[in-house]
Amino acid sequence: MFDVIIRDVSIYDGTGGESFVGDVAIAGGEITAVGDVPGTSEDVVDGRGLAVSPGFIDVHTHDDFAAVVHPDMWFKSSGGVTTCVVGNCGMGAAPWLPASRMARALHPQPLPEWSGYRGYLRFLDGHAPGVNIAVLIGHGTARQAAMGSDQREPAAAEMRAMKDIVSEGLEAGAVGLSTGLIYDPGRYATTDEIVELACLMRGTGALYATHMRDEGMGLLDSVKEAIAIGERAGVPVQISHHKASGRNAWGLVAKSLELIEDAQRRGQDVHADQYPYTAGSTILAAVYRDGALGGKGLGGLEGDAVVIASAPGHRDWEGRSVVQIATTMGCDANAAAERILAAEPGATVVIHTMCEDDVRMVMRHPSTMIGSDGLPTLEGKPHPRLYGTFARVLGRYAREQKLFSLSEAVHRMTGFPARKFGFADRGTLEAGKKADLVLFNPVSIMDCGTFEDPHREPAGIVALYVNGKLTVKGGKPTGVRAGKVLRRAA
Ligand SMILES: [Zn+2]
């Protein structure tokens, strides 16, 4: 007797092996049988014409506070995601004061408080989010807490304060440490500072994830730095949102992928994640720096390539480029950016900076797993990757463009990230694993959001099970929240 049996379904088991038709049975929150399953259940799902796979693991999110203020996490579960890794790009959930200040750009509403990573994870334990959550410790948040925005090396006491924060996070069960080396204050950190902190993770299984210093013309030096940090500290490396940003840098990913291959050949554990779009998204403050538009900055962006995604006090700016806003203001793009930032310091933007050939080259490469990097602003016009990342990889890149097989695409968002991030009991469909499952239509699965209309659920997600509980049915939320905190195994 099982809680649920999905019959005659195409099984993509997350290993990357070929799919096969069979049954999947769930009981007590676990997968109990896969294949030709005898036995009965009151809940038999007809899987004919459908595919089932492990729930998607979004290894690159900024959902730390969204998991608290939007706990159903519909923007993720509607796209088949059952696990989110939060705390990327140096922005963590603790200490609370700098964390909540950084989160204000995404969440202007009052935020509940907690103490440390332990307190954050306990809060989530008590308020079951819609998907499972694993945390990275944010280096930028730790540095802000220890020494503010100072543009210098930490004094000994400040270094100790940062180490205490990292140690507390690791003891609480964090799966790694992240940096955001284009952002304040992460960009003031030297390589040595990061190595010293990353050394605390040696032997723990926790990894180093990095938004690198420069994804434009400095991409190769940045990848070398990330690899060197992993090598010196003796920890696995995850390069965040691998890309070449800005026209001058296009094509450099061929070389950065080689650097990853070289490191792997030397025995290093180095991988990357990617979102499947030629546009990025970040905060305007990081794009506009030192008169960045039209020359320096993130790959020398022009003002028409920078579109306001979220400006809570100025909704009329959302969806418009800096050049368009400048025209209305009667000034040039740099002056407009300054005025926007003065009014909306946390404004987020969509930036059109990549080329399709690079996106495809990175995606095809075996070092790449999938991560959305979605910014969970539920008002405004966030980058559509927030909802559509996984469906887009499956529908557009696997089914339509045949960049890789559907089973390989599923592997890049299930078994592969589960192995990298240490989710030993998830990521593959086999008896004994936790019952995180997505049932989807392989013929129709596709992202539906656009830059103009981003709040759109993907097509083709039929059902979602999180820890054995049905959270999405017929593409609609059931109202059940069954996510758990995934702590690093000791
Ligand atoms: Zn980032």
Side-chain angles (χ1 to χ4, degrees):
M1 191 69 186
F2 302 106
D3 296 342
V4 183
I5 301 178
I6 306 170
R7 291 257 187 236
D8 305 318
V9 66
S10 291
I11 297 173
Y12 292 81
D13 67 5
T15 64
E18 275 202 42
S19 66
F20 55 98
V21 174
D23 315 320
V24 177
I26 303 172
E30 292 189 351
I31 297 165
T32 44
V34 177
D36 198 2
V37 179
T40 58
S41 168
E42 286 180 4
D43 188 357
V44 177
V45 178
D46 181 1
R48 283 176 294 180
L50 299 177
V52 71
S53 78
F56 307 141
I57 297 172
D58 191 346
V59 296
H60 193 102
T61 85
H62 295 284
D63 293 336
D64 310 53
F65 284 82
V68 171
V69 296
H70 308 298
D72 64 359
M73 301 194 72
W74 178 239
F75 52 91
K76 286 293 160 70
S77 49
S78 62
V81 172
T82 54
T83 296
C84 285
V85 179
V86 306
N88 278 280
C89 303
M91 292 173 275
W96 188 84
L97 197 61
S100 61
R101 284 205 183 125
M102 287 180 188
R104 213 166 280 159
L106 301 176
H107 310 293
Q109 63 266 59
L111 300 167
E113 282 189 51
W114 46 77
S115 174
Y117 285 94
R118 189 173 305 272
Y120 172 66
L121 295 180
R122 282 198 182 140
F123 185 97
L124 292 179
D125 285 334
H127 294 78
V131 306
N132 304 309
I133 302 285
V135 313
L136 297 168
I137 300 156
H139 162 261
T141 321
R143 198 178 208 273
Q144 190 78 39
M147 54 188 292
S149 305
D150 287 1
Q151 304 181 20
R152 57 174 173 79
E153 290 181 25
E158 292 162 341
M159 194 69 204
R160 273 197 302 278
M162 277 194 270
K163 284 184 174 176
D164 285 347
I165 292 166
V166 173
S167 296
E168 192 272 339
L170 289 171
E171 280 161 25
V175 296
L177 169 73
S178 80
T179 55
L181 302 182
I182 70 158
Y183 296 117
D184 289 338
R187 67 193 182 113
Y188 308 124
T190 62
T191 305
D192 286 346
E193 173 183 325
I194 302 164
V195 168
E196 197 169 339
L197 294 170
C199 278
L200 295 170
M201 301 193 288
R202 186 180 293 169
T204 66
L207 57 76
Y208 171 63
T210 179
H211 181 152
M212 300 178 294
R213 275 184 214 278
D214 186 342
E215 297 175 325
M217 294 303 287
L219 175 64
L220 302 183
D221 285 340
S222 298
V223 171
K224 286 176 191 162
E225 183 189 29
I227 290 170
I229 289 168
E231 192 168 22
R232 289 174 57 193
V235 297
V237 174
Q238 177 78 0
I239 290 169
S240 299
H241 37 58
H242 191 181
K243 67 163 93 58
S245 185
R247 189 174 293 272
N248 296 339
W250 290 354
L252 279 182
V253 292
K255 294 257 171 19
S256 56
L257 289 166
E258 277 178 21
L259 291 174
I260 293 174
E261 289 173 12
D262 292 345
Q264 289 178 338
R265 266 195 294 271
R266 294 195 302 270
Q268 244 188 292
D269 180 345
V270 182
H271 300 91
D273 51 74
Q274 181 197 32
Y275 50 81
Y277 297 84
T278 53
S281 183
T282 184
I283 50 173
L284 178 59
V287 174
Y288 177 78
R289 182 175 287 149
D290 313 323
L293 295 180
K296 300 175 285 178
L298 295 183
L301 283 174
E302 300 295 333
D304 55 0
V306 180
V307 180
I308 302 296
S310 170
H314 297 81
R315 296 280 178 214
D316 56 315
W317 290 345
E318 293 169 350
R320 298 173 68 207
S321 74
V322 171
V323 164
Q324 287 171 325
I325 296 169
T327 304
T328 311
M329 288 177 169
C331 60
D332 71 12
N334 278 304
E338 270 168 34
R339 280 155 75 168
I340 294 166
L341 278 172
E344 297 278 353
T348 62
V349 290
V350 169
I351 47 178
H352 296 271
T353 67
M354 287 167 258
C355 75
E356 184 67 22
D357 284 350
D358 282 2
V359 170
R360 289 164 53 88
M361 186 183 293
V362 170
M363 195 181 299
R364 217 172 24 229
H365 194 268
S367 66
T368 305
M369 60 193 85
I370 308 301
S372 72
D373 200 10
L375 299 179
T377 50
L378 300 195
E379 291 165 19
K381 294 194 189 301
H383 192 303
R385 67 193 185 188
L386 177 63
Y387 294 79
T389 288
F390 298 88
R392 185 173 169 90
V393 170
L394 296 170
R396 177 180 164 92
Y397 289 100
R399 184 182 63 235
E400 289 188 349
Q401 299 192 9
K402 301 193 167 31
L403 195 68
F404 39 30
S405 68
L406 197 57
S407 70
E408 178 65 21
V410 166
H411 175 60
R412 306 294 188 96
M413 44 186 84
T414 57
F416 181 15
R419 193 176 66 220
K420 177 83 187 190
F421 283 79
F423 307 142
D425 51 3
R426 298 173 201 269
T428 53
L429 288 190
E430 49 186 315
K433 300 275 177 172
K434 301 294 181 196
D436 291 344
L437 305 176
V438 55
L439 187 65
F440 64 93
N441 185 330
V443 177
S444 66
I445 191 163
M446 186 58 80
D447 62 305
C448 296
T450 61
F451 290 97
E452 294 74 32
D453 184 16
H455 296 283
R456 295 277 300 278
E457 297 93 356
I461 301 293
V462 177
L464 195 68
Y465 296 86
V466 177
N467 295 304
K469 298 281 194 308
L470 185 64
T471 63
V472 177
K473 185 180 182 187
K476 297 275 178 285
T478 62
V480 175
R481 305 197 323 242
K484 288 189 161 45
V485 173
L486 307 187
R487 291 176 172 83
R488 199 184 73 261

